[in-house]
Every structure is written in structure tokens, then in C-alpha cells.
Amino acid sequence: MDEVLLRSIVPGVLGVLVRRGADFAAAEDAVQEALIEAVRVWPEGAPRDPKAWLVTVAWRRFLDATRADTARRRREEVVEEEPAPGPVLGTDDTLRLYFLCAHPSLTPSSAVALTLRAIGGLTTRQIAQAYLVPEATMAQRISRAKRTVSGVPFDRPGDVSTVLRVLYLVFNEGYSGDLDLAAEAIRLTRQLAAAIDHPEVAGLLALMLLHHARRAARTAPDGSLVPLAEQDRGRWDTTAIAEGVRILQAALGRDRLGEYQAQAAVAALHADAPTAAETDWVQIVEWYDELCLLTESPVVRLNRAVAVGEADGPRAGLAALAEVDGALPRYAAVAAYLHERDGDLARAAQLYVEAARQAPNLAERDHLTRQAARLNSIRGR
């Protein structure tokens, strides 16, 4: 079984069913049943045209479900006759499906789940395991999302920025259980980039590749976090970095700057530095200035304060931090780092303890706790 191939043709199969008159929810259920059947029979002999095979089986499943459900008799007016098997038209509905799954009426969590199910071809169980929720809970979430978008016209224009936010949410979940969501997000973003020529889609793909390239160096053998400045850069994936930089340069050359391109530029500058000490922090601050203009995001301003502290010294970083909302997640961690660089170890240790209490995950909490203990040990000597 070529699982990558199977997942890559799911959007096209789903699009064919919707174009033939199936509503989105019923079409998606039928496609999932066809995928299950493919997993069962393909190992004994894969069809010459996998997409046509899946369309035929999914359409039959849809017809069976429609005819069996007397409460949905109106659909039979649309599906009176089953089209003859044969080659499937080459219409690519991938982009429309992305827009549908990232519809503004959906919550971010529902949009992510629906995207992974309908476009990613993942099972409800896989998605539930990745997000550490019961399968029944995830099934309800996906069902509600499908009902929400079932009445949305398939040809209705969508918002690229919403699709990109959903894909970025998937990427930021990283790795959970048996499913690598970061890798899945990269695969889906590549698919989107093939369907639409848009510099911000390219920017997001470049950003993902550049961040993912550092993954192997982010944790120590015992599972503890390794800060960027302390990472073994020899473990970074240079192939992914080269591809990310190439994609970013092409996107920037179109002179339509967006937030993902700017974030990718920051990541590229980190990737380009042979050592942490050689990082071009001045240019990174300039990119954060661009990001502030593009997004007005408080998180960007928080990251900018760190960059200013590296470029112009910790006092300048603390001055920049003073303009940021103190209630922001990871504010205390940034303040601790800048106070430590400024020599105020007592205050830094207190802030590391405070940041550890607010940490979003166990690995980050343990890292911040160790930082506080390290400073207290230095002060006790």
C-alpha cells in the first residue's frame, strides 16, 4: 500500500462526489469507506487507476447509503443513475476543499480536524490520538463540522489566509503519539502550493521546512528541551533548509510580503548562522519590525524584545519588553532571560519559577524549572 499516494488523491475523489451532487458530509463518509476498502483489497493487486477505483467505490457507497435512508429520499432525484465506470475528469478540486474545510463558520479546532480527515485522509482514531482526546469526542467534532459546511456552495470563493492559519495550527501541534502532525502539515501545504500560486502559501511552506529542519536538535536524549543557542547545528537538516530558503527567495522576489514570508525570513537567518554567536540579530529585528506592521501581534512584539536584547543589549530588550502586555504567555520566560543577561540573577530566578508555573507543557516546565535551579545554585556559591 502506498499510503502517501492514497492520501494525495483523497481531495480529488471527494471533489468528484460533491460535483456529482453528494453533500459534503455524505461524500466524505463514502470516501472514508472507500479508503477502508482500498486498504483491504489493494495489497492483493492495486488498480491501474487508483483515483477512478476510489471514485467508483465511494460513489456506490454513497448511493447505497442514500437509498437506505428513507429520510433522505430527496437526494435520489440527484443520483437516479450511477455514472458508468471509466476515466475520471482531471478537474482539481483540492483548493476548493481547503477553503471548505477552513470555512470561517468553523472553530479552529473543528477546521483542523475536518482538514485532516477530508483532505489528509486520516482516520478519526488517528486524529483523536494525535490530539489526545477520546475517539468519540473527535467523531462528534468532525460530524458537527461536516454538517456546518454541507450547505456551503462548493464553488464559493474562499479565504487563503484562513486556510493558512489552519495549516499552521496543524504544524504547531508537532508530534503526538503515532502521528507526526508537523510532517502532515508540510505534506498538505505542499499540496496546496501545487494547487495555488500564492506567495504566502510558499512563505508558509518555507517557514515549516526551516523550523522542521531543526527538529532533531531540539531535544536531548533524555527528552529535555535544548534552546536554540545550545543546539548542535550539525544535526539540522541541511536539505530541508536549502529547500526552504529557495522557496522563500522565490516568494520574496514577487514583492508581495506577508506574515509567513517574514517569519520564514527570521527562521532563515537563524538557519544561516554557523553558530549562535554569528546570528544576524540586527537583520532579525528589522524583520520583526516588518511583522509588527503586518500583524500588530503581541506575540511578535514579545519575540522582537528578545531579538532587540540580542542586537542592542539586555537593557534595550527590557525596554522593548515593557511595551508588551505582561499577561501574554511566555512573557515571564522572556523577562527572566533578559534579566539574567543583564546580571540580575535573583530577579531572573524568580521569573523562571513564575514562567514554569505558566508553562503550556511538561517539557517546557521542566526546562524553566532547571533554569531557576541553575541560577539559584550560582547565587548560593
Side-chain angles (χ1 to χ4, degrees):
M1 284 291 294
D2 187 339
E3 190 174 339
V4 174
L5 169 65
L6 201 60
R7 289 185 185 176
S8 68
I9 58 181
V10 163
V13 176
L14 183 55
V16 170
L17 267 65
V18 173
R19 285 190 177 280
R20 287 182 178 178
D23 71 47
F24 183 84
E28 203 277 329
D29 286 341
V31 171
Q32 291 298 321
E33 290 186 24
L35 289 172
I36 293 171
E37 184 69 5
V39 171
R40 189 179 70 83
V41 304
W42 282 15
E44 299 174 5
R48 267 182 277 183
D49 188 340
K51 182 178 178 182
W53 187 97
L54 285 170
V55 167
T56 300
V57 174
W59 186 248
R60 286 174 179 164
R61 293 292 189 274
F62 167 70
L63 289 177
D64 290 344
T66 300
R67 290 164 180 158
D69 190 350
T70 56
R72 299 178 183 177
R73 286 179 182 170
R74 282 201 333 133
R75 288 185 186 169
E76 294 185 356
E77 298 173 5
V78 181
V79 292
E80 289 179 352
E81 296 182 3
E82 179 181 351
V88 178
L89 294 177
T91 304
D92 188 355
D93 293 308
T94 301
L95 184 56
R96 290 187 176 90
L97 288 170
Y98 272 98
F99 288 144
L100 198 60
C101 293
H103 194 269
S105 61
L106 296 174
T107 64
S109 61
S110 294
V112 166
L114 188 59
T115 298
L116 289 172
R117 171 73 184 260
I119 303 176
L122 303 177
T123 66
T124 302
R125 176 174 294 180
Q126 285 176 309
I127 302 169
Q129 289 174 342
Y131 284 91
L132 305 178
V133 300
E135 185 176 353
T137 300
M138 184 56 69
Q140 290 175 352
R141 185 180 300 172
I142 292 171
S143 293
R144 285 195 298 268
K146 287 193 291 185
R147 287 196 300 271
T148 299
V149 302
S150 284
V152 177
F154 194 51
D155 291 328
R156 181 176 176 178
D159 179 16
V160 175
S161 63
T162 304
V163 174
L164 295 181
R165 278 196 296 274
V166 169
L167 290 172
Y168 199 30
L169 283 172
V170 176
F171 180 79
N172 284 331
E173 288 297 328
Y175 177 82
S176 302
D178 295 327
L179 183 63
D180 187 340
L181 285 175
E184 182 65 17
I186 291 173
R187 185 184 74 82
L188 291 173
T189 306
R190 284 190 192 280
Q191 194 176 65
L192 181 62
I196 181 173
D197 183 19
H198 193 294
E200 272 293 79
V201 176
L204 179 58
L205 179 56
L207 176 62
M208 289 178 175
L209 288 167
L210 289 164
H211 277 313
H212 204 53
R214 302 199 299 260
R215 174 171 162 171
R218 285 199 187 106
T219 54
D222 63 359
S224 59
L225 291 181
V226 180
L228 177 61
E230 300 171 19
Q231 289 177 13
D232 177 1
R233 299 185 178 218
R235 299 184 65 196
W236 288 1
D237 185 343
T238 54
T239 301
I241 289 173
E243 183 186 6
V245 169
R246 176 180 56 77
I247 292 171
L248 173 62
Q249 288 174 337
L252 291 174
R254 299 178 63 176
D255 200 24
R256 290 170 55 195
L257 184 64
E259 60 177 298
Y260 295 112
Q261 294 168 73
Q263 287 186 58
V266 172
L269 286 167
H270 283 299
D272 187 54
T275 65
E278 296 173 87
T279 304
D280 189 345
W281 286 105
V282 173
Q283 195 173 166
I284 287 176
V285 171
E286 292 174 356
W287 277 112
Y288 275 126
D289 287 341
E290 292 284 355
L291 269 168
C292 287
L293 294 174
L294 288 166
T295 68
E296 299 182 356
S297 165
V299 175
V300 169
R301 293 192 175 278
L302 184 66
N303 292 332
R304 180 184 179 276
V306 176
V308 169
E310 299 290 351
D312 301 326
R315 294 286 173 91
L318 287 167
L321 186 64
E323 301 175 5
V324 180
D325 183 0
L328 203 64
R330 295 189 173 89
Y331 180 97
V334 170
Y337 174 74
L338 291 171
H339 276 290
E340 178 184 354
R341 288 201 59 228
D342 194 39
D344 189 349
L345 302 190
R347 179 59 179 149
Q350 292 174 350
L351 286 166
Y352 275 128
V353 171
E354 180 182 334
R357 289 197 208 101
Q358 302 168 356
N361 56 65
L362 184 61
E364 193 168 329
R365 186 193 71 186
D366 289 348
H367 170 72
L368 293 167
T369 301
R370 283 193 296 271
Q371 295 297 90
R374 175 179 57 81
L375 293 186
N376 286 328
S377 175
I378 293 172
R379 292 173 57 227
R381 291 174 187 168

